Amino acid sequence: MRGESILDRVDWATIGLYFAMVLLGWSSIYAAVFDEENAETLFSLVYNPGKQLIWIGSAVIIIIGVMSLDFKFYDYSAYIIYGVVIILLIAVLTTGTVVAGSKSWFQIGSFRLQPAEFAKFATALALAKYLGDVHVKFENLKTQLLALAILGAPMVLILLQGDAGSAMVFASFLIVLFREGISPIYFVLGFAFVLLFILTLLVSKTVLFIATTVICVIVVGVSFKHPKRIIATLVLTALVFATVISVDFLMTNVLKPHQRSRVVSLINPDADPLGAGWNVTQSKIAIGSGGFFGKGFLQGTQTKFDFVPEQSTDFIFCTIGEEQGWLGSLILIALFVTLLFRISLIAERQKSKFARIYGYGVLSIFFFHFAVNIAMTIGFFPVIGIPLPFFSYGGSSLWSFTILLFILIKLDSHRMQILMR
């Protein structure tokens, strides 16, 4: 409407959720590193809370920048932003700094920047730009393969950096493809692969080969009048054999020793309780010790005595579980569920295909981070080192999630206008 400012059109409920989560996240980071002897110095740039305040302040500046740009900029510049990030992902392979076994960071003085975090919103924009084109028909196999290539390029580069966790995030874009009409068979095959992966770790390969062969012979025997069923059975059997072999190759030649041990510790938590299983074991102890109401802010003993490594980053949920208990954990989960619900509403009410697809990209990334991070801390998923949005310490992740969300809010504020191409 004429005379209506952008402030009248933005989704203030989602913005309010964002700031509430960021502030709660900062208080959790403060609690995770709290030390009574150095309480006053925790705000210095030497400690995470002080640094995080800098990141939060700069995130506000980023929000102003994102909201100030013309909404058409994100459509027009999607491929350019994607290309720049791809170049950064290549550059970090040669000039980056190794942190925790991954060559994923640019060192800038005392601060570090991780291009993989920015690849998430860049890929969401590029995918939305491609699939949102009026001339692109998603039902075409060529379109689906090119969409997978857009997702695969950053995924492969991040894998080369040794950061399997960040690379896995891009698999969440299957939610976008499903919304656009991709066959559910891809999800069935993915689920089957996960089950076969677990079986390969639990059962001897020889047993799997024999069992698969026996099942194949039986099915072929009862299907001798149905040539297509026989061919499908033989193809499926070959895929099972190839998957079992590839899992063995992945565990032996692709994953690093600490990554292999994390996968094994998920399947068998008691295999290495003082090594790979230490983080998850201590995490569950910390969360369980909080009870219903928790021990109180800054009163967490597991937190205070550093039993859980990376407690201000990947395992920040432990601090909340211990100090705020089951009730505090439920509130955190409720905040995320509400945010995901708001994002889905925003995505569905978009008038342009570009904005809708981008909205589902945002939803996919937030859902993956939220679900997997919490699953890691309670032992339901391997420790792959991905942050909890707005709660985990880190500038790159906070900036990336902020840009990701506020581009959507910006597009939503102009949803009644036709996006010119």
Side-chain angles (χ1 to χ4, degrees):
M1 296 177 62
R2 288 184 179 179
E4 188 180 37
S5 72
I6 189 173
L7 295 178
D8 298 317
R9 301 191 304 266
V10 296
D11 192 311
W12 287 106
T14 303
I15 293 175
L17 273 172
Y18 166 83
F19 281 104
M21 294 170 81
V22 167
L23 293 176
L24 288 172
W26 182 86
S27 68
S28 300
I29 293 168
Y30 180 82
V33 300
F34 178 74
D35 181 355
E36 292 179 357
E37 296 181 358
N38 299 310
E40 295 181 0
T41 60
L42 287 177
F43 291 93
S44 74
L45 293 181
V46 177
Y47 294 94
N48 289 357
K51 288 183 179 180
Q52 191 71 4
L53 284 176
I54 299 296
W55 298 128
I56 292 171
S58 54
V60 173
I61 296 174
I62 288 173
I63 291 170
I64 295 172
V66 169
M67 298 301 289
S68 298
L69 288 171
D70 190 295
F71 72 101
K72 298 174 188 176
F73 168 83
Y74 302 106
D75 181 30
Y76 294 152
S77 305
Y79 289 148
I80 297 174
I81 294 171
Y82 179 78
V84 169
V85 171
I86 290 295
I87 292 172
L88 290 175
L89 290 175
I90 295 172
V92 80
L93 287 170
T94 57
T95 62
T97 300
V98 178
V99 178
S102 301
K103 195 172 185 179
S104 308
W105 303 82
F106 288 118
Q107 187 77 37
I108 306 172
S110 60
F111 293 95
R112 292 194 295 258
L113 204 63
Q114 188 179 17
E117 290 294 336
F118 302 100
K120 297 167 189 175
F121 77 81
T123 302
L125 284 171
L127 187 65
K129 174 71 172 178
Y130 175 62
L131 295 181
D133 194 305
V134 294
H135 303 296
V136 171
K137 304 300 179 184
F138 187 72
E139 60 271 15
N140 295 339
L141 179 60
K142 178 183 177 182
T143 299
Q144 295 177 10
L145 291 176
L146 283 174
L148 291 174
I150 291 173
L151 303 180
M155 192 174 187
V156 170
L157 290 171
I158 293 169
L159 275 174
L160 291 175
Q161 297 169 13
D163 188 356
S166 294
M168 288 178 65
V169 174
F170 293 87
S172 69
F173 280 100
L174 283 174
I175 295 174
V176 180
L177 302 185
F178 181 73
R179 171 61 180 80
E180 293 307 305
I182 199 169
S183 173
I185 192 65
Y186 289 100
F187 291 90
V188 175
L189 290 174
F191 183 69
F193 174 80
V194 171
L195 287 180
L196 191 56
F197 183 95
I198 295 172
L199 277 175
T200 305
L201 297 177
L202 294 174
V203 182
S204 166
K205 292 191 295 295
T206 303
V207 172
L208 286 175
F209 287 146
I210 293 174
T212 304
T213 302
V214 169
I215 294 172
C216 176
V217 170
I218 293 173
V219 173
V220 170
V222 299
S223 306
F224 64 94
K225 292 184 179 180
H226 304 279
K228 290 184 179 180
R229 190 180 299 174
I230 292 175
I231 293 173
T233 301
L234 293 175
V235 170
L236 186 60
T237 301
L239 287 174
V240 171
F241 283 175
T243 300
V244 173
I245 294 171
S246 66
V247 169
D248 185 60
F249 178 81
L250 175 69
M251 291 292 290
T252 306
N253 301 289
V254 178
L255 295 183
K256 296 179 180 180
H258 71 280
Q259 294 170 330
R260 289 198 296 271
S261 62
R262 287 173 179 175
V263 173
V264 172
S265 67
L266 176 69
I267 305 300
N268 182 11
D270 299 323
D272 187 15
L274 298 179
W278 174 263
N279 285 28
V280 174
T281 300
Q282 296 303 316
S283 171
K284 290 192 286 187
I285 290 173
I287 294 171
S289 68
F292 188 85
F293 292 108
K295 298 175 181 176
F297 185 60
L298 306 181
Q299 301 303 312
T301 54
Q302 297 292 115
T303 296
K304 187 177 295 184
F305 295 110
D306 296 325
F307 282 102
V308 184
E310 308 297 334
Q311 197 156 338
S312 65
T313 53
D314 301 338
F315 284 84
I316 192 68
F317 186 68
C318 300
T319 302
I320 297 162
E322 182 181 17
E323 297 194 345
Q324 309 306 324
W326 182 88
L327 187 59
S329 300
L330 181 62
I331 292 172
L332 179 145
I333 292 171
L335 284 172
F336 270 105
V337 171
T338 303
L339 178 65
L340 293 172
F341 179 68
R342 293 294 313 170
I343 292 172
S344 66
L345 285 180
I346 292 173
E348 279 299 325
R349 71 189 183 196
Q350 297 311 302
K351 304 301 180 181
S352 80
K353 194 175 178 182
F354 168 81
R356 187 192 72 230
I357 295 171
Y358 177 77
Y360 272 94
V362 176
L363 178 68
S364 302
I365 294 170
F366 274 107
F367 173 75
F368 184 90
H369 274 269
F370 158 65
V372 172
N373 181 275
I374 292 180
M376 286 189 328
T377 63
I378 59 178
F380 283 3
F381 201 86
V383 179
I384 59 174
I386 64 170
L388 185 63
F390 310 133
F391 281 82
S392 295
Y393 165 77
S396 296
S397 62
L398 177 61
W399 285 2
S400 173
F401 290 129
T402 298
I403 295 171
L404 189 71
L405 182 62
F406 276 87
I407 287 177
L408 178 61
I409 292 173
K410 175 66 176 182
L411 294 174
D412 178 61
S413 68
H414 293 274
R415 66 182 179 275
M416 299 308 296
Q417 296 175 248
I418 298 175
L419 198 62
M420 304 297 293
R421 289 194 170 278

